[in-house]
PDB file of all heavy atoms in Angstrom:
ATOM      1  N   GLU A  94     -41.589 -16.229  -0.362  1.00 97.00           N
ATOM      2  CA  GLU A  94     -43.098 -15.957  -0.575  1.00 97.00           C
ATOM      3  C   GLU A  94     -43.485 -14.859   0.405  1.00 97.00           C
ATOM      4  O   GLU A  94     -43.197 -14.860   1.501  1.00 97.00           O
ATOM      5  CB  GLU A  94     -43.764 -17.383  -0.120  1.00 97.00           C
ATOM      6  CG  GLU A  94     -45.200 -17.207   0.080  1.00 97.00           C
ATOM      7  CD  GLU A  94     -46.026 -16.821  -1.171  1.00 97.00           C
ATOM      8  OE1 GLU A  94     -46.233 -17.632  -2.028  1.00 97.00           O
ATOM      9  OE2 GLU A  94     -46.425 -15.650  -1.188  1.00 97.00           O
ATOM     10  N   ASP A  95     -44.092 -13.890  -0.243  1.00 96.00           N
ATOM     11  CA  ASP A  95     -44.434 -12.691   0.638  1.00 96.00           C
ATOM     12  C   ASP A  95     -45.762 -12.918   1.369  1.00 96.00           C
ATOM     13  O   ASP A  95     -46.108 -12.048   2.224  1.00 96.00           O
ATOM     14  CB  ASP A  95     -44.329 -11.320  -0.226  1.00 96.00           C
ATOM     15  CG  ASP A  95     -45.433 -11.454  -1.395  1.00 96.00           C
ATOM     16  OD1 ASP A  95     -45.566 -12.463  -2.000  1.00 96.00           O
ATOM     17  OD2 ASP A  95     -45.718 -10.329  -1.843  1.00 96.00           O
ATOM     18  N   GLU A  96     -46.604 -13.817   0.941  1.00 96.00           N
ATOM     19  CA  GLU A  96     -47.883 -14.033   1.699  1.00 96.00           C
ATOM     20  C   GLU A  96     -47.704 -14.832   2.883  1.00 96.00           C
ATOM     21  O   GLU A  96     -47.219 -16.035   2.791  1.00 96.00           O
ATOM     22  CB  GLU A  96     -48.938 -14.690   0.901  1.00 96.00           C
ATOM     23  CG  GLU A  96     -49.581 -13.836  -0.146  1.00 96.00           C
ATOM     24  CD  GLU A  96     -50.241 -14.544  -1.186  1.00 96.00           C
ATOM     25  OE1 GLU A  96     -51.402 -15.071  -0.793  1.00 96.00           O
ATOM     26  OE2 GLU A  96     -49.917 -14.637  -2.445  1.00 96.00           O
ATOM     27  N   ASP A 138     -42.045 -17.783  -4.991  1.00 93.00           N
ATOM     28  CA  ASP A 138     -43.220 -17.230  -5.473  1.00 93.00           C
ATOM     29  C   ASP A 138     -42.710 -16.334  -6.665  1.00 93.00           C
ATOM     30  O   ASP A 138     -41.544 -15.936  -6.691  1.00 93.00           O
ATOM     31  CB  ASP A 138     -43.754 -16.340  -4.268  1.00 93.00           C
ATOM     32  CG  ASP A 138     -44.992 -15.596  -4.747  1.00 93.00           C
ATOM     33  OD1 ASP A 138     -45.676 -15.815  -5.551  1.00 93.00           O
ATOM     34  OD2 ASP A 138     -45.271 -14.528  -4.022  1.00 93.00           O
ATOM     35  N   ILE A 139     -43.661 -15.878  -7.592  1.00 89.00           N
ATOM     36  CA  ILE A 139     -43.221 -14.960  -8.704  1.00 89.00           C
ATOM     37  C   ILE A 139     -43.154 -13.470  -8.303  1.00 89.00           C
ATOM     38  O   ILE A 139     -42.368 -12.770  -8.518  1.00 89.00           O
ATOM     39  CB  ILE A 139     -43.911 -15.384  -9.986  1.00 89.00           C
ATOM     40  CG1 ILE A 139     -43.540 -16.709 -10.492  1.00 89.00           C
ATOM     41  CG2 ILE A 139     -43.653 -14.372 -10.960  1.00 89.00           C
ATOM     42  CD1 ILE A 139     -44.171 -17.207 -11.710  1.00 89.00           C
ATOM     43  N   LEU A 140     -44.475 -13.010  -7.878  1.00 89.00           N
ATOM     44  CA  LEU A 140     -44.671 -11.602  -7.575  1.00 89.00           C
ATOM     45  C   LEU A 140     -44.141 -11.454  -6.126  1.00 89.00           C
ATOM     46  O   LEU A 140     -44.740 -11.975  -5.202  1.00 89.00           O
ATOM     47  CB  LEU A 140     -46.052 -11.199  -7.672  1.00 89.00           C
ATOM     48  CG  LEU A 140     -46.621 -11.288  -9.119  1.00 89.00           C
ATOM     49  CD1 LEU A 140     -48.020 -10.984  -9.214  1.00 89.00           C
ATOM     50  CD2 LEU A 140     -45.662 -10.463 -10.156  1.00 89.00           C
ATOM     51  N   LEU A 141     -42.978 -10.801  -6.073  1.00 93.00           N
ATOM     52  CA  LEU A 141     -42.320 -10.543  -4.759  1.00 93.00           C
ATOM     53  C   LEU A 141     -41.810  -9.139  -4.693  1.00 93.00           C
ATOM     54  O   LEU A 141     -41.565  -8.510  -5.689  1.00 93.00           O
ATOM     55  CB  LEU A 141     -41.043 -11.440  -4.599  1.00 93.00           C
ATOM     56  CG  LEU A 141     -41.212 -12.828  -4.444  1.00 93.00           C
ATOM     57  CD1 LEU A 141     -39.960 -13.618  -4.741  1.00 93.00           C
ATOM     58  CD2 LEU A 141     -41.632 -13.248  -3.048  1.00 93.00           C
ATOM     59  N   LYS A 188     -51.410 -21.612  -7.231  1.00 88.00           N
ATOM     60  CA  LYS A 188     -52.190 -21.310  -6.004  1.00 88.00           C
ATOM     61  C   LYS A 188     -53.721 -21.256  -6.281  1.00 88.00           C
ATOM     62  O   LYS A 188     -53.988 -20.800  -7.342  1.00 88.00           O
ATOM     63  CB  LYS A 188     -51.805 -19.905  -5.431  1.00 88.00           C
ATOM     64  CG  LYS A 188     -50.351 -19.798  -5.046  1.00 88.00           C
ATOM     65  CD  LYS A 188     -49.997 -18.414  -4.669  1.00 88.00           C
ATOM     66  CE  LYS A 188     -48.591 -18.314  -4.501  1.00 88.00           C
ATOM     67  NZ  LYS A 188     -48.177 -16.843  -4.238  1.00 88.00           N
TER      68      LYS A 188
HETATM   69 CA1  LIG B 698     -46.576 -12.814  -4.097  1.00 84.74          CA
END
Side-chain angles (χ1 to χ4, degrees):
E94 166 63 77
D95 58 331
E96 280 167 72
D138 178 25
I139 290 185
L140 298 176
L141 289 164
K188 294 175 190 174

